[in-house]
Structures are given as structure tokens and as C-alpha cells.
Amino acid sequence: MELLITMKNNFLVVFLTLGFLANGQTEKVAQQTTNEKAPIAKEGITVKSCCVAAVPKRFASKSTVKNPEGMVWIPAGTFSMGGDNGQARQDELPKHEVKLNGFFMDVTEVTNAQFAKFAEATGYVTTAEKDIDWDELKKQLPSDTPKPDAETLKAASLVFVPTQGEVNLQDYSQWWQWTHNANWKHPKGKDSDIVGKENLPVVHISWDDANAYCKWAGKRLPTEAEWEYAARGGLDKNTYAWGNIKVDEGKIHCNYWQGSFPYKNEVTDGFFGAAPTKSFDPNGYGLYDMGGNVWEWCADLYNNTYYGEFENVKLSDNPIGPSASFDPDEPLVAKRVMRGGSFLCNESYCSGYRVSARMRSSADSSMEHLGFRCLQNK
């Protein structure tokens, strides 16, 4: 969504607006029943072996890159990074030329099944499963912010709850609810689970969680430049991962909000919430869900004026992001970049599924529409 702030600050806004300081009332957790359609499974493209595989090396093909399981090779190249249409925001400009080395990227977002293997192997506990450390949280808040009660600081995450009708779209607390016991295993709270949803992208994942998984898997998060380059799929100056056809024209290109956000979802794409990976066509590089479904963490710090550094640079070589974070909306909070949009993005409010669209949040943020995918060097 366009106006997301950090998990901890979202939490603060929610408890302030819902009467925490007034009377300490406990907000009931609204439950949302998802309407998920089982998509037709799509077989991945496999490389068949043949008789030439054993010829002497001097006769071998020059194309010898072998993809790790579940990944695809993104060739080295240059591209024009930044906004391509009138929806581009200020932090997507100016466009600038970027040169990148080749890399492997996960074909899909990391799934519940994949993350479960990591958690079982390591005993890892995600940010959303831990109680909030007030001493750390208060560093991001004004000095006179009162300490919440112990109940409010218990483990929780942000869950989307549709409204009953039209609301002020500047007030995100209308549809985001700070929900105790919401985490990757319980996306909607304690009464939900991921049984039968092994192929859905794992969510309620913080930047710290994503990095822990990457380290275990021998991979890393993509830089923002690598992510956008891969999302463009080899196309030039395309607005979306599939080209320049608008998201609501022609066939359904990705998982996004159809209807009036945040109260009426027509579910034209078949999914109220997140969709199983590979539910929609891949882009030119064979990558799925580079637009819509869930936001994806990148390695870079976020700075709203970062692109301005390239205004007089002819070609940026493998950029890794700014040296310091700054978001004028929350100057005390260091933030990381998120890319790709989610099932909550809508043309009337948020067009985050554009390949150049940028979002940000603190490293300890976790939400129902936030996940990641990994990258690996050759």
C-alpha cells in the first residue's frame, strides 16, 4: 500500500486511534474469510539432457550456466531504472541508467513450505512471534510517547481487515489491525493456519527474518536495482512486468484488488488474499508474481532522494542503495525498500505492481502482505 509505515508505528497509530490512551479497551480481532480459488497447476520448464552433454569441453556449448533448484539465471546487462508513466512518484525519479552483473533469482516468492523447512531446521523464531522490546521501539518514537501496557506489547503483527464502506484513504488504521498471535503460521491470527497453503508465499516476514532465511539457504536479498531489472523481464521502459498493457485491461496479469478499496473486492482474479505461487503467467525471465500478490523485501536502505544522486551519472555500476535511510514521513525510523506490490494494490489508491514502484518500512516490520524472494550470485 502506498501509505504504509513501520509495523511498530502502525501498531502505535492503531492503539492510539482505537482508544488505548483513553480507556485501555481491547480491540477485538476481526476475522476475514478468504475466498481462494485453486489455480491450475503449471508445469515448470525443464532442461532435457541429450547426447551432446558428454562431448569434450572444447566442443561444449558456451551456455553452461546451471540454474540452482527453483531459480533462473538473469543475464548481465544495462537498463533504465525509474518511473515510466504518469503514476511515477517523486522517489522513482529521475530515471537513470544502471549496469548489473548476472545473477540467479528465485522463480517465485519464498513459500510457506520453504520457510517451514528453514524454521524446523534452525528453530528460528520470527519477529512477529516475539514480544516487543519497548527499549528498542521507543527509539523510533517521540521522547514523550507513553509506554503501552504489557498486553499491548505482546507478540503481534498487522492483519488486513476490510472496512464496511468508504473511508479516508489517508487513514490506514481503518483497514490495518494490530493482531496478537498473527504470524507466518497464523496469517489472520490464532484461529487461522497455513494447512493446505504450502504453496502460498510466506508472509508476516520482517527484513531481519528474510535475511536469516537467505543466510541459511546460502543466498541473499536482491538489491533494489537487481529486483527492478529482473522484474522488467528483458523489456525496455515497460510499466509492468508483463509490458505496458494496463493492469485492468485484457486478461488478468497479477493478483491485485479489483473493485473499491478497502471495502469491496470483486475477486475477479479469483483470490481475495494472497494467491499460490505460479497462479499467473511469468515475465520474460520466467519469474512469477513480480507484480502483485505480496510485497518483497530488498537489501537496500530507503532514502526518498536517492535517485537524485544519479542525475549527472552516465552509468551506475551495480548500485547497492544509499548509505543512510531517510523517510520524511518518519525521519526517526531507518527503513528498507520493498518492491512488487500486493493483493491490496488498486489503481484508485496504490499502483504498487508497477515495476518501478517503491515502498519502505522498518526492518522489524511484518504484515499480512509482506514476503520476499532470494538471489544468488553465480
Side-chain angles (χ1 to χ4, degrees):
M1 303 301 298
E2 181 175 351
L3 291 176
L4 291 182
I5 58 176
T6 69
M7 177 185 75
K8 300 305 171 58
N9 283 292
N10 261 319
F11 137 75
L12 185 63
V13 170
V14 170
F15 84 75
L16 285 175
T17 56
L18 296 181
F20 166 76
L21 294 179
N23 52 29
Q25 292 180 349
T26 302
E27 175 70 11
K28 294 183 179 180
V29 177
Q31 297 296 323
Q32 174 64 35
T33 302
T34 60
N35 181 17
E36 295 175 344
K37 179 184 72 174
I40 298 174
K42 299 179 181 179
E43 295 297 327
I45 299 174
T46 58
V47 180
K48 296 181 179 179
S49 60
C50 66
C51 59
V52 301
V55 298
K57 186 175 180 180
R58 67 192 183 100
F59 297 116
S61 168
K62 293 182 179 180
S63 180
T64 58
V65 177
K66 182 178 180 181
N67 295 353
E69 183 179 0
M71 305 189 87
V72 66
W73 175 249
I74 310 298
T78 61
F79 78 109
S80 185
M81 185 174 182
D84 289 294
N85 69 359
Q87 292 177 307
R89 304 182 185 97
Q90 192 60 44
D91 67 352
E92 299 173 41
L93 301 169
K95 286 186 70 69
H96 51 284
E97 297 302 305
V98 173
K99 175 184 177 182
L100 293 172
N101 298 332
F103 53 89
F104 294 104
M105 180 171 263
D106 285 348
V107 170
T108 71
E109 297 135 334
V110 173
T111 65
N112 285 322
Q114 291 172 319
F115 199 82
K117 290 180 180 179
F118 158 65
E120 182 178 358
T122 63
Y124 184 82
V125 179
T126 63
T127 302
E129 296 175 272
K130 302 174 184 176
D131 291 346
I132 296 170
D133 184 341
W134 172 246
D135 289 333
E136 289 299 316
L137 174 59
K138 67 183 181 182
K139 296 176 183 178
Q140 304 176 22
L141 305 172
S143 59
D144 59 349
T145 303
K147 181 180 180 179
D149 60 33
E151 181 68 21
T152 304
L153 293 174
K154 286 185 178 180
S157 189
L158 287 171
V159 170
F160 171 74
V161 179
T163 62
Q164 295 300 310
E166 292 185 10
V167 295
N168 178 5
L169 294 182
Q170 303 302 311
D171 183 6
Y172 38 81
S173 69
Q174 295 288 318
W175 58 86
W176 282 114
Q177 191 166 88
W178 181 245
T179 305
H180 292 309
N181 300 310
N183 54 58
W184 73 276
K185 292 180 287 189
H186 306 285
K188 285 287 184 181
K190 65 177 182 179
D191 295 327
S192 65
D193 57 49
I194 56 173
V195 176
K197 301 176 182 178
E198 291 79 9
N199 289 329
L200 267 70
V202 65
V203 292
H204 293 291
I205 298 298
S206 71
W207 188 86
D208 297 323
D209 299 333
N211 274 280
Y213 176 94
C214 287
K215 183 177 180 179
W216 171 78
K219 303 178 182 180
R220 64 176 175 86
L221 288 177
T223 65
E224 185 176 17
E226 289 169 334
W227 194 98
E228 182 173 324
Y229 176 62
R232 289 182 179 274
L235 300 178
D236 182 41
K237 299 180 181 179
N238 48 312
T239 301
Y240 311 101
W242 55 87
N244 286 311
I245 299 174
K246 291 183 178 180
V247 68
D248 53 1
E249 293 182 354
K251 68 177 182 180
I252 297 175
H253 305 282
C254 68
N255 181 15
Y256 71 107
W257 185 282
Q258 303 93 47
S260 301
F261 183 83
Y263 63 95
K264 182 182 179 181
N265 189 342
E266 297 172 354
V267 198
T268 307
D269 61 11
F271 305 98
F272 186 91
T277 59
K278 298 186 178 182
S279 293
F280 303 90
D281 291 341
N283 73 355
Y285 286 143
L287 301 170
Y288 294 85
D289 296 317
M290 296 302 281
N293 217 20
V294 301
W295 285 100
E296 301 178 15
W297 285 113
C298 291
D300 308 34
L301 288 167
Y302 172 82
N303 190 304
N304 68 310
T305 62
Y306 175 55
Y307 284 16
E309 296 180 12
F310 302 101
E311 193 164 9
N312 298 314
V313 177
K314 185 175 181 180
L315 184 64
S316 177
D317 190 354
N318 290 285
I320 58 174
S323 58
S325 171
F326 184 75
D327 180 356
D329 293 332
E330 293 182 291
L332 298 178
V333 183
K335 296 186 177 181
R336 297 284 175 172
V337 174
M338 298 144 54
R339 286 300 201 108
S342 80
F343 59 84
L344 296 179
C345 287
N346 174 270
E347 282 291 276
S348 67
Y349 175 59
C350 168
S351 54
Y353 32 69
R354 292 178 299 106
V355 290
S356 65
R358 309 175 72 202
M359 188 45 56
R360 68 275 188 190
S361 199
S362 64
D364 58 0
S365 292
S366 63
M367 291 165 272
E368 188 189 347
H369 69 341
L370 179 54
F372 70 108
R373 77 177 70 212
C374 306
L375 180 148
Q376 184 173 307
N377 296 106
K378 183 176 178 180

